[in-house]
Amino acid sequence: MSSEVYAPGLEGIIAGETAISTVEGGLRYRGYPIAELAENTQYEEVAYLLLYGELPTRRELESFRRRLDEARLLPGELVRFLRSLPPGIPYMDVMRTAVSMLAHFDLGYRSWPSEPTAAGALERCIQSTRRIAERLLAQMASCLAAYYRLCRGLEPLSPRSGLSHAAQFFYQLNGEVPDELAVRACDVSLILYAEHEFNASTFTARVITSTMSDPYSAVVGALGALKGPLHGGANEHVMPLLRRIGSPERVETVLQEMLARKERVMGFGHRVYKTGDLRARILTQWAKRLAEQRGETLWEDIAQRVEDYLRQQKNLYPNLDWPAGRLYYYLGLPMELYTPIFALSRVAGWCAHVVEQWQANRLIRPRARYIGPPLRPVVPLEAR
Ligand code: COA
């Protein structure tokens, strides 16, 4: 085929249209610059914006928060399942299974159109996706907190109504809400992680939806894609690297060795942003504030030296995972929670894309360039 276009990793390919966000001219969610959203909104407002297209009024926000609160309690069967797991299972694997299980205990999901192509089914699929999105926003956070506590021999905590999403997460983890700076820093990280057009996990969710499969399946697939270290898994590698470097003086030596071995520095580089990621710059300010508050600025000093070195030597800039890995550490969160926290936030973006895919669906089915053996006859078994 002479007109075929081949771009490994779909690099530079426009694979669909979206009105949810753009990275052109600086990241914007539904037209709003990310810096303004991070400055002036809370995560719940952003999740609403992504799912429903507009920032909520105060009344809409209150009602949205109430619905989230009503959905936070986990089915007892899921808690029993979490309790039954053998030790040491990666948190992202648990989240993936848990989301799949949540579908079985969602009574509303039982009325998911069995024939989504039938007349009138489209609007029901869209409404149902938004309802499922709200449940997942609430329940994925409860599930992560419950599993975290069970792993430490503690009982899961019931949600406390009236808290912001970020504060609620801390409460369900530890039974207390930290100071305002900590809650707001976490909130901003959730805003920045919420959406990023056709990244790998979102594209996975859209591919699954394009077959007219259900939103739970789309989110399970997206979680699988997010887990990989080239995507969301990168934030868990930040503190181990900083610890391995240990002091600002050792930055050059360690990085030289890594680059010589062609090792990737997790939290650096991006498929789209080649001159820096605005989200990383915003979150770095919050990481620095937390580090100063804790009186623990060593990691920030090392991080700055790493940034300078990689910019000068490789023209590489940090992505959002670089400050996020440090910020979550300053918040006292254990490393295995970092990628799942990314997922708690990104589920809003995934579901917004699922809705959008339904609104103008076309099966996503690209072609492959064949590089296998040339045409050859099948040799019968006895002659092989
Ligand atoms: N550390 C070291 N070198 C890196 C690098 C990193 N984090 N990211 C890119 N590079 C180098 C590559 O080795 C390559 O160098 P070369 O041309 O000398 O071989 C060059 O930069 C281009 O990299 P490439 O892999 O083609 O870019 P990409 O668009 O496919 O990569 C990522 C995007 C995100 C996969 C890549 O930057 C990466 O692996 N980053 C680390 C993981 C991470 O932080 N993921 C979170 C993304 S938000």
PDB file of all heavy atoms in Angstrom, residues 233-268:
ATOM      1  N   GLY A 233       4.401   4.322  36.211  1.00  0.00           N
ATOM      2  CA  GLY A 233       5.297   3.660  37.160  1.00  0.00           C
ATOM      3  C   GLY A 233       6.555   4.446  37.472  1.00  0.00           C
ATOM      4  O   GLY A 233       7.284   4.123  38.419  1.00  0.00           O
ATOM      5  N   ALA A 234       6.816   5.517  36.701  1.00  0.00           N
ATOM      6  CA  ALA A 234       8.085   6.246  36.868  1.00  0.00           C
ATOM      7  C   ALA A 234       8.190   6.935  38.225  1.00  0.00           C
ATOM      8  O   ALA A 234       9.282   7.045  38.787  1.00  0.00           O
ATOM      9  CB  ALA A 234       8.236   7.277  35.736  1.00  0.00           C
ATOM     10  N   ASN A 235       7.061   7.398  38.792  1.00  0.00           N
ATOM     11  CA  ASN A 235       7.160   8.204  40.028  1.00  0.00           C
ATOM     12  C   ASN A 235       7.702   7.401  41.219  1.00  0.00           C
ATOM     13  O   ASN A 235       8.243   7.967  42.155  1.00  0.00           O
ATOM     14  CB  ASN A 235       5.838   8.926  40.349  1.00  0.00           C
ATOM     15  CG  ASN A 235       4.669   7.983  40.572  1.00  0.00           C
ATOM     16  OD1 ASN A 235       4.845   6.774  40.681  1.00  0.00           O
ATOM     17  ND2 ASN A 235       3.461   8.542  40.612  1.00  0.00           N
ATOM     18  N   GLU A 236       7.567   6.075  41.155  1.00  0.00           N
ATOM     19  CA  GLU A 236       8.063   5.249  42.266  1.00  0.00           C
ATOM     20  C   GLU A 236       9.591   5.099  42.234  1.00  0.00           C
ATOM     21  O   GLU A 236      10.188   4.606  43.178  1.00  0.00           O
ATOM     22  CB  GLU A 236       7.419   3.861  42.217  1.00  0.00           C
ATOM     23  CG  GLU A 236       5.911   3.941  42.397  1.00  0.00           C
ATOM     24  CD  GLU A 236       5.219   2.596  42.454  1.00  0.00           C
ATOM     25  OE1 GLU A 236       5.917   1.558  42.446  1.00  0.00           O
ATOM     26  OE2 GLU A 236       3.967   2.583  42.500  1.00  0.00           O
ATOM     27  N   HIS A 237      10.198   5.491  41.124  1.00  0.00           N
ATOM     28  CA  HIS A 237      11.653   5.307  40.983  1.00  0.00           C
ATOM     29  C   HIS A 237      12.450   6.548  41.363  1.00  0.00           C
ATOM     30  O   HIS A 237      13.671   6.527  41.345  1.00  0.00           O
ATOM     31  CB  HIS A 237      11.989   4.915  39.534  1.00  0.00           C
ATOM     32  CG  HIS A 237      11.411   3.590  39.155  1.00  0.00           C
ATOM     33  ND1 HIS A 237      12.086   2.409  39.332  1.00  0.00           N
ATOM     34  CD2 HIS A 237      10.207   3.256  38.640  1.00  0.00           C
ATOM     35  CE1 HIS A 237      11.320   1.407  38.927  1.00  0.00           C
ATOM     36  NE2 HIS A 237      10.178   1.896  38.501  1.00  0.00           N
ATOM     37  N   VAL A 238      11.733   7.631  41.678  1.00  0.00           N
ATOM     38  CA  VAL A 238      12.430   8.901  41.923  1.00  0.00           C
ATOM     39  C   VAL A 238      13.231   8.862  43.221  1.00  0.00           C
ATOM     40  O   VAL A 238      14.441   9.151  43.229  1.00  0.00           O
ATOM     41  CB  VAL A 238      11.409  10.075  41.923  1.00  0.00           C
ATOM     42  CG1 VAL A 238      12.061  11.369  42.382  1.00  0.00           C
ATOM     43  CG2 VAL A 238      10.807  10.242  40.537  1.00  0.00           C
ATOM     44  N   MET A 239      12.588   8.517  44.324  1.00  0.00           N
ATOM     45  CA  MET A 239      13.311   8.533  45.612  1.00  0.00           C
ATOM     46  C   MET A 239      14.438   7.496  45.661  1.00  0.00           C
ATOM     47  O   MET A 239      15.531   7.803  46.161  1.00  0.00           O
ATOM     48  CB  MET A 239      12.338   8.361  46.788  1.00  0.00           C
ATOM     49  CG  MET A 239      11.545   9.592  47.141  1.00  0.00           C
ATOM     50  SD  MET A 239      12.491  11.127  47.295  1.00  0.00           S
ATOM     51  CE  MET A 239      13.540  10.777  48.697  1.00  0.00           C
ATOM     52  N   PRO A 240      14.236   6.272  45.110  1.00  0.00           N
ATOM     53  CA  PRO A 240      15.370   5.339  45.098  1.00  0.00           C
ATOM     54  C   PRO A 240      16.588   5.917  44.370  1.00  0.00           C
ATOM     55  O   PRO A 240      17.721   5.748  44.810  1.00  0.00           O
ATOM     56  CB  PRO A 240      14.816   4.110  44.375  1.00  0.00           C
ATOM     57  CG  PRO A 240      13.354   4.150  44.661  1.00  0.00           C
ATOM     58  CD  PRO A 240      12.987   5.606  44.700  1.00  0.00           C
ATOM     59  N   LEU A 241      16.346   6.657  43.275  1.00  0.00           N
ATOM     60  CA  LEU A 241      17.486   7.255  42.564  1.00  0.00           C
ATOM     61  C   LEU A 241      18.152   8.324  43.432  1.00  0.00           C
ATOM     62  O   LEU A 241      19.383   8.371  43.548  1.00  0.00           O
ATOM     63  CB  LEU A 241      17.039   7.852  41.230  1.00  0.00           C
ATOM     64  CG  LEU A 241      18.135   8.637  40.508  1.00  0.00           C
ATOM     65  CD1 LEU A 241      19.280   7.700  40.091  1.00  0.00           C
ATOM     66  CD2 LEU A 241      17.603   9.379  39.293  1.00  0.00           C
ATOM     67  N   LEU A 242      17.338   9.198  44.034  1.00  0.00           N
ATOM     68  CA  LEU A 242      17.912  10.268  44.857  1.00  0.00           C
ATOM     69  C   LEU A 242      18.703   9.675  46.026  1.00  0.00           C
ATOM     70  O   LEU A 242      19.784  10.163  46.380  1.00  0.00           O
ATOM     71  CB  LEU A 242      16.815  11.208  45.365  1.00  0.00           C
ATOM     72  CG  LEU A 242      16.089  12.018  44.275  1.00  0.00           C
ATOM     73  CD1 LEU A 242      14.952  12.837  44.861  1.00  0.00           C
ATOM     74  CD2 LEU A 242      17.065  12.933  43.532  1.00  0.00           C
ATOM     75  N   ARG A 243      18.191   8.588  46.594  1.00  0.00           N
ATOM     76  CA  ARG A 243      18.907   7.939  47.708  1.00  0.00           C
ATOM     77  C   ARG A 243      20.213   7.326  47.221  1.00  0.00           C
ATOM     78  O   ARG A 243      21.230   7.383  47.888  1.00  0.00           O
ATOM     79  CB  ARG A 243      18.039   6.840  48.328  1.00  0.00           C
ATOM     80  CG  ARG A 243      16.924   7.390  49.159  1.00  0.00           C
ATOM     81  CD  ARG A 243      16.587   6.415  50.291  1.00  0.00           C
ATOM     82  NE  ARG A 243      15.430   6.884  51.020  1.00  0.00           N
ATOM     83  CZ  ARG A 243      14.178   6.527  50.749  1.00  0.00           C
ATOM     84  NH1 ARG A 243      13.916   5.658  49.800  1.00  0.00           N
ATOM     85  NH2 ARG A 243      13.188   7.012  51.447  1.00  0.00           N
ATOM     86  N   ARG A 244      20.127   6.728  46.013  1.00  0.00           N
ATOM     87  CA  ARG A 244      21.337   6.104  45.449  1.00  0.00           C
ATOM     88  C   ARG A 244      22.409   7.168  45.214  1.00  0.00           C
ATOM     89  O   ARG A 244      23.591   6.930  45.443  1.00  0.00           O
ATOM     90  CB  ARG A 244      20.945   5.432  44.131  1.00  0.00           C
ATOM     91  CG  ARG A 244      22.010   4.553  43.540  1.00  0.00           C
ATOM     92  CD  ARG A 244      21.370   3.751  42.421  1.00  0.00           C
ATOM     93  NE  ARG A 244      22.135   3.831  41.198  1.00  0.00           N
ATOM     94  CZ  ARG A 244      21.646   3.611  39.985  1.00  0.00           C
ATOM     95  NH1 ARG A 244      20.377   3.313  39.825  1.00  0.00           N
ATOM     96  NH2 ARG A 244      22.423   3.672  38.936  1.00  0.00           N
ATOM     97  N   ILE A 245      22.007   8.343  44.767  1.00  0.00           N
ATOM     98  CA  ILE A 245      22.977   9.429  44.547  1.00  0.00           C
ATOM     99  C   ILE A 245      23.504   9.923  45.899  1.00  0.00           C
ATOM    100  O   ILE A 245      24.717  10.070  46.084  1.00  0.00           O
ATOM    101  CB  ILE A 245      22.326  10.583  43.741  1.00  0.00           C
ATOM    102  CG1 ILE A 245      21.941  10.104  42.344  1.00  0.00           C
ATOM    103  CG2 ILE A 245      23.276  11.767  43.642  1.00  0.00           C
ATOM    104  CD1 ILE A 245      21.116  11.088  41.540  1.00  0.00           C
ATOM    105  N   GLY A 246      22.599  10.168  46.834  1.00  0.00           N
ATOM    106  CA  GLY A 246      22.988  10.420  48.232  1.00  0.00           C
ATOM    107  C   GLY A 246      23.457  11.818  48.566  1.00  0.00           C
ATOM    108  O   GLY A 246      23.201  12.295  49.664  1.00  0.00           O
ATOM    109  N   SER A 247      24.191  12.498  47.651  1.00  0.00           N
ATOM    110  CA  SER A 247      24.638  13.867  47.943  1.00  0.00           C
ATOM    111  C   SER A 247      24.815  14.617  46.620  1.00  0.00           C
ATOM    112  O   SER A 247      25.073  13.999  45.578  1.00  0.00           O
ATOM    113  CB  SER A 247      25.958  13.856  48.711  1.00  0.00           C
ATOM    114  OG  SER A 247      27.000  13.536  47.834  1.00  0.00           O
ATOM    115  N   PRO A 248      24.665  15.967  46.655  1.00  0.00           N
ATOM    116  CA  PRO A 248      24.758  16.737  45.407  1.00  0.00           C
ATOM    117  C   PRO A 248      26.084  16.496  44.675  1.00  0.00           C
ATOM    118  O   PRO A 248      26.123  16.506  43.442  1.00  0.00           O
ATOM    119  CB  PRO A 248      24.644  18.189  45.876  1.00  0.00           C
ATOM    120  CG  PRO A 248      23.925  18.131  47.178  1.00  0.00           C
ATOM    121  CD  PRO A 248      24.311  16.831  47.812  1.00  0.00           C
ATOM    122  N   GLU A 249      27.148  16.238  45.405  1.00  0.00           N
ATOM    123  CA  GLU A 249      28.471  16.051  44.783  1.00  0.00           C
ATOM    124  C   GLU A 249      28.542  14.781  43.934  1.00  0.00           C
ATOM    125  O   GLU A 249      29.395  14.655  43.065  1.00  0.00           O
ATOM    126  CB  GLU A 249      29.583  15.984  45.848  1.00  0.00           C
ATOM    127  CG  GLU A 249      29.776  17.235  46.691  1.00  0.00           C
ATOM    128  CD  GLU A 249      28.633  17.480  47.670  1.00  0.00           C
ATOM    129  OE1 GLU A 249      28.177  16.507  48.301  1.00  0.00           O
ATOM    130  OE2 GLU A 249      28.171  18.643  47.765  1.00  0.00           O
ATOM    131  N   ARG A 250      27.673  13.837  44.227  1.00  0.00           N
ATOM    132  CA  ARG A 250      27.751  12.557  43.502  1.00  0.00           C
ATOM    133  C   ARG A 250      26.860  12.504  42.256  1.00  0.00           C
ATOM    134  O   ARG A 250      26.849  11.507  41.530  1.00  0.00           O
ATOM    135  CB  ARG A 250      27.369  11.409  44.455  1.00  0.00           C
ATOM    136  CG  ARG A 250      28.552  10.931  45.291  1.00  0.00           C
ATOM    137  CD  ARG A 250      28.175   9.836  46.263  1.00  0.00           C
ATOM    138  NE  ARG A 250      27.188   8.869  45.805  1.00  0.00           N
ATOM    139  CZ  ARG A 250      27.433   7.827  45.015  1.00  0.00           C
ATOM    140  NH1 ARG A 250      28.661   7.594  44.586  1.00  0.00           N
ATOM    141  NH2 ARG A 250      26.463   7.011  44.662  1.00  0.00           N
ATOM    142  N   VAL A 251      26.120  13.593  41.992  1.00  0.00           N
ATOM    143  CA  VAL A 251      25.156  13.579  40.887  1.00  0.00           C
ATOM    144  C   VAL A 251      25.830  13.203  39.568  1.00  0.00           C
ATOM    145  O   VAL A 251      25.403  12.292  38.850  1.00  0.00           O
ATOM    146  CB  VAL A 251      24.443  14.954  40.768  1.00  0.00           C
ATOM    147  CG1 VAL A 251      23.715  15.090  39.442  1.00  0.00           C
ATOM    148  CG2 VAL A 251      23.465  15.131  41.922  1.00  0.00           C
ATOM    149  N   GLU A 252      26.925  13.893  39.243  1.00  0.00           N
ATOM    150  CA  GLU A 252      27.561  13.679  37.934  1.00  0.00           C
ATOM    151  C   GLU A 252      28.056  12.251  37.777  1.00  0.00           C
ATOM    152  O   GLU A 252      27.833  11.621  36.747  1.00  0.00           O
ATOM    153  CB  GLU A 252      28.734  14.651  37.773  1.00  0.00           C
ATOM    154  CG  GLU A 252      28.234  16.053  37.479  1.00  0.00           C
ATOM    155  CD  GLU A 252      29.348  16.956  36.974  1.00  0.00           C
ATOM    156  OE1 GLU A 252      30.344  16.449  36.401  1.00  0.00           O
ATOM    157  OE2 GLU A 252      29.205  18.152  37.171  1.00  0.00           O
ATOM    158  N   THR A 253      28.717  11.743  38.814  1.00  0.00           N
ATOM    159  CA  THR A 253      29.278  10.392  38.732  1.00  0.00           C
ATOM    160  C   THR A 253      28.180   9.365  38.482  1.00  0.00           C
ATOM    161  O   THR A 253      28.280   8.534  37.575  1.00  0.00           O
ATOM    162  CB  THR A 253      29.979  10.035  40.075  1.00  0.00           C
ATOM    163  OG1 THR A 253      30.728  11.166  40.477  1.00  0.00           O
ATOM    164  CG2 THR A 253      30.834   8.815  39.964  1.00  0.00           C
ATOM    165  N   VAL A 254      27.121   9.443  39.294  1.00  0.00           N
ATOM    166  CA  VAL A 254      26.060   8.429  39.183  1.00  0.00           C
ATOM    167  C   VAL A 254      25.373   8.536  37.822  1.00  0.00           C
ATOM    168  O   VAL A 254      25.138   7.521  37.144  1.00  0.00           O
ATOM    169  CB  VAL A 254      25.045   8.573  40.340  1.00  0.00           C
ATOM    170  CG1 VAL A 254      23.862   7.618  40.152  1.00  0.00           C
ATOM    171  CG2 VAL A 254      25.717   8.317  41.681  1.00  0.00           C
ATOM    172  N   LEU A 255      25.068   9.768  37.390  1.00  0.00           N
ATOM    173  CA  LEU A 255      24.351   9.909  36.119  1.00  0.00           C
ATOM    174  C   LEU A 255      25.224   9.515  34.935  1.00  0.00           C
ATOM    175  O   LEU A 255      24.749   8.897  33.979  1.00  0.00           O
ATOM    176  CB  LEU A 255      23.834  11.345  35.949  1.00  0.00           C
ATOM    177  CG  LEU A 255      22.687  11.735  36.881  1.00  0.00           C
ATOM    178  CD1 LEU A 255      22.201  13.142  36.561  1.00  0.00           C
ATOM    179  CD2 LEU A 255      21.513  10.767  36.797  1.00  0.00           C
ATOM    180  N   GLN A 256      26.513   9.853  35.010  1.00  0.00           N
ATOM    181  CA  GLN A 256      27.426   9.450  33.927  1.00  0.00           C
ATOM    182  C   GLN A 256      27.411   7.932  33.758  1.00  0.00           C
ATOM    183  O   GLN A 256      27.313   7.415  32.650  1.00  0.00           O
ATOM    184  CB  GLN A 256      28.849   9.877  34.264  1.00  0.00           C
ATOM    185  CG  GLN A 256      29.280  11.131  33.542  1.00  0.00           C
ATOM    186  CD  GLN A 256      30.595  11.676  34.100  1.00  0.00           C
ATOM    187  OE1 GLN A 256      31.300  11.001  34.842  1.00  0.00           O
ATOM    188  NE2 GLN A 256      30.914  12.901  33.737  1.00  0.00           N
ATOM    189  N   GLU A 257      27.491   7.248  34.894  1.00  0.00           N
ATOM    190  CA  GLU A 257      27.474   5.770  34.844  1.00  0.00           C
ATOM    191  C   GLU A 257      26.160   5.261  34.260  1.00  0.00           C
ATOM    192  O   GLU A 257      26.140   4.380  33.411  1.00  0.00           O
ATOM    193  CB  GLU A 257      27.618   5.191  36.260  1.00  0.00           C
ATOM    194  CG  GLU A 257      29.019   5.298  36.828  1.00  0.00           C
ATOM    195  CD  GLU A 257      29.055   5.017  38.334  1.00  0.00           C
ATOM    196  OE1 GLU A 257      28.024   4.563  38.905  1.00  0.00           O
ATOM    197  OE2 GLU A 257      30.097   5.274  38.927  1.00  0.00           O
ATOM    198  N   MET A 258      25.064   5.856  34.713  1.00  0.00           N
ATOM    199  CA  MET A 258      23.745   5.411  34.228  1.00  0.00           C
ATOM    200  C   MET A 258      23.627   5.610  32.725  1.00  0.00           C
ATOM    201  O   MET A 258      23.193   4.727  31.991  1.00  0.00           O
ATOM    202  CB  MET A 258      22.621   6.197  34.921  1.00  0.00           C
ATOM    203  CG  MET A 258      22.347   5.767  36.328  1.00  0.00           C
ATOM    204  SD  MET A 258      21.026   6.764  37.040  1.00  0.00           S
ATOM    205  CE  MET A 258      19.572   6.071  36.232  1.00  0.00           C
ATOM    206  N   LEU A 259      24.007   6.811  32.276  1.00  0.00           N
ATOM    207  CA  LEU A 259      23.860   7.102  30.846  1.00  0.00           C
ATOM    208  C   LEU A 259      24.791   6.231  30.013  1.00  0.00           C
ATOM    209  O   LEU A 259      24.434   5.800  28.910  1.00  0.00           O
ATOM    210  CB  LEU A 259      24.107   8.593  30.582  1.00  0.00           C
ATOM    211  CG  LEU A 259      23.077   9.545  31.216  1.00  0.00           C
ATOM    212  CD1 LEU A 259      23.425  11.000  30.938  1.00  0.00           C
ATOM    213  CD2 LEU A 259      21.657   9.241  30.749  1.00  0.00           C
ATOM    214  N   ALA A 260      25.976   5.951  30.556  1.00  0.00           N
ATOM    215  CA  ALA A 260      26.918   5.079  29.833  1.00  0.00           C
ATOM    216  C   ALA A 260      26.329   3.673  29.676  1.00  0.00           C
ATOM    217  O   ALA A 260      26.549   3.007  28.671  1.00  0.00           O
ATOM    218  CB  ALA A 260      28.245   5.009  30.584  1.00  0.00           C
ATOM    219  N   ARG A 261      25.553   3.258  30.673  1.00  0.00           N
ATOM    220  CA  ARG A 261      24.904   1.930  30.591  1.00  0.00           C
ATOM    221  C   ARG A 261      23.581   2.000  29.840  1.00  0.00           C
ATOM    222  O   ARG A 261      22.837   1.035  29.788  1.00  0.00           O
ATOM    223  CB  ARG A 261      24.652   1.388  32.007  1.00  0.00           C
ATOM    224  CG  ARG A 261      25.896   0.879  32.723  1.00  0.00           C
ATOM    225  CD  ARG A 261      25.502   0.020  33.912  1.00  0.00           C
ATOM    226  NE  ARG A 261      24.731   0.768  34.893  1.00  0.00           N
ATOM    227  CZ  ARG A 261      25.254   1.422  35.947  1.00  0.00           C
ATOM    228  NH1 ARG A 261      26.565   1.373  36.145  1.00  0.00           N
ATOM    229  NH2 ARG A 261      24.496   2.068  36.780  1.00  0.00           N
ATOM    230  N   LYS A 262      23.260   3.172  29.296  1.00  0.00           N
ATOM    231  CA  LYS A 262      21.997   3.419  28.567  1.00  0.00           C
ATOM    232  C   LYS A 262      20.767   3.215  29.454  1.00  0.00           C
ATOM    233  O   LYS A 262      19.696   2.827  28.999  1.00  0.00           O
ATOM    234  CB  LYS A 262      21.884   2.541  27.306  1.00  0.00           C
ATOM    235  CG  LYS A 262      22.947   2.734  26.273  1.00  0.00           C
ATOM    236  CD  LYS A 262      22.346   3.417  25.038  1.00  0.00           C
ATOM    237  CE  LYS A 262      23.393   3.869  24.048  1.00  0.00           C
ATOM    238  NZ  LYS A 262      23.522   5.268  23.822  1.00  0.00           N
ATOM    239  N   GLU A 263      20.977   3.446  30.769  1.00  0.00           N
ATOM    240  CA  GLU A 263      19.846   3.362  31.700  1.00  0.00           C
ATOM    241  C   GLU A 263      19.004   4.617  31.567  1.00  0.00           C
ATOM    242  O   GLU A 263      19.537   5.707  31.364  1.00  0.00           O
ATOM    243  CB  GLU A 263      20.365   3.308  33.142  1.00  0.00           C
ATOM    244  CG  GLU A 263      20.396   1.940  33.756  1.00  0.00           C
ATOM    245  CD  GLU A 263      20.872   2.025  35.196  1.00  0.00           C
ATOM    246  OE1 GLU A 263      20.098   2.519  36.036  1.00  0.00           O
ATOM    247  OE2 GLU A 263      22.020   1.608  35.467  1.00  0.00           O
ATOM    248  N   ARG A 264      17.697   4.477  31.746  1.00  0.00           N
ATOM    249  CA  ARG A 264      16.808   5.642  31.716  1.00  0.00           C
ATOM    250  C   ARG A 264      16.707   6.272  33.100  1.00  0.00           C
ATOM    251  O   ARG A 264      16.643   5.560  34.093  1.00  0.00           O
ATOM    252  CB  ARG A 264      15.416   5.214  31.285  1.00  0.00           C
ATOM    253  CG  ARG A 264      15.443   4.617  29.902  1.00  0.00           C
ATOM    254  CD  ARG A 264      14.474   5.289  28.998  1.00  0.00           C
ATOM    255  NE  ARG A 264      14.965   5.075  27.637  1.00  0.00           N
ATOM    256  CZ  ARG A 264      14.353   5.525  26.570  1.00  0.00           C
ATOM    257  NH1 ARG A 264      13.251   6.201  26.690  1.00  0.00           N
ATOM    258  NH2 ARG A 264      14.854   5.311  25.378  1.00  0.00           N
ATOM    259  N   VAL A 265      16.687   7.569  33.127  1.00  0.00           N
ATOM    260  CA  VAL A 265      16.471   8.254  34.399  1.00  0.00           C
ATOM    261  C   VAL A 265      14.967   8.489  34.512  1.00  0.00           C
ATOM    262  O   VAL A 265      14.391   9.273  33.757  1.00  0.00           O
ATOM    263  CB  VAL A 265      17.225   9.601  34.463  1.00  0.00           C
ATOM    264  CG1 VAL A 265      17.081  10.231  35.843  1.00  0.00           C
ATOM    265  CG2 VAL A 265      18.689   9.389  34.114  1.00  0.00           C
ATOM    266  N   MET A 266      14.344   7.769  35.437  1.00  0.00           N
ATOM    267  CA  MET A 266      12.884   7.825  35.555  1.00  0.00           C
ATOM    268  C   MET A 266      12.438   9.214  36.026  1.00  0.00           C
ATOM    269  O   MET A 266      13.042   9.782  36.936  1.00  0.00           O
ATOM    270  CB  MET A 266      12.400   6.754  36.529  1.00  0.00           C
ATOM    271  CG  MET A 266      12.634   5.364  36.008  1.00  0.00           C
ATOM    272  SD  MET A 266      11.635   5.101  34.522  1.00  0.00           S
ATOM    273  CE  MET A 266      12.590   3.876  33.702  1.00  0.00           C
ATOM    274  N   GLY A 267      11.376   9.724  35.371  1.00  0.00           N
ATOM    275  CA  GLY A 267      10.925  11.083  35.700  1.00  0.00           C
ATOM    276  C   GLY A 267      11.492  12.121  34.751  1.00  0.00           C
ATOM    277  O   GLY A 267      11.236  13.310  34.921  1.00  0.00           O
ATOM    278  N   PHE A 268      12.246  11.660  33.749  1.00  0.00           N
ATOM    279  CA  PHE A 268      12.800  12.590  32.742  1.00  0.00           C
ATOM    280  C   PHE A 268      12.384  12.160  31.349  1.00  0.00           C
ATOM    281  O   PHE A 268      12.226  10.975  31.073  1.00  0.00           O
ATOM    282  CB  PHE A 268      14.330  12.647  32.834  1.00  0.00           C
ATOM    283  CG  PHE A 268      14.778  13.566  33.929  1.00  0.00           C
ATOM    284  CD1 PHE A 268      14.799  13.112  35.237  1.00  0.00           C
ATOM    285  CD2 PHE A 268      15.105  14.889  33.662  1.00  0.00           C
ATOM    286  CE1 PHE A 268      15.168  13.964  36.269  1.00  0.00           C
ATOM    287  CE2 PHE A 268      15.474  15.745  34.694  1.00  0.00           C
ATOM    288  CZ  PHE A 268      15.506  15.277  35.995  1.00  0.00           C
TER     289      PHE A 268
END
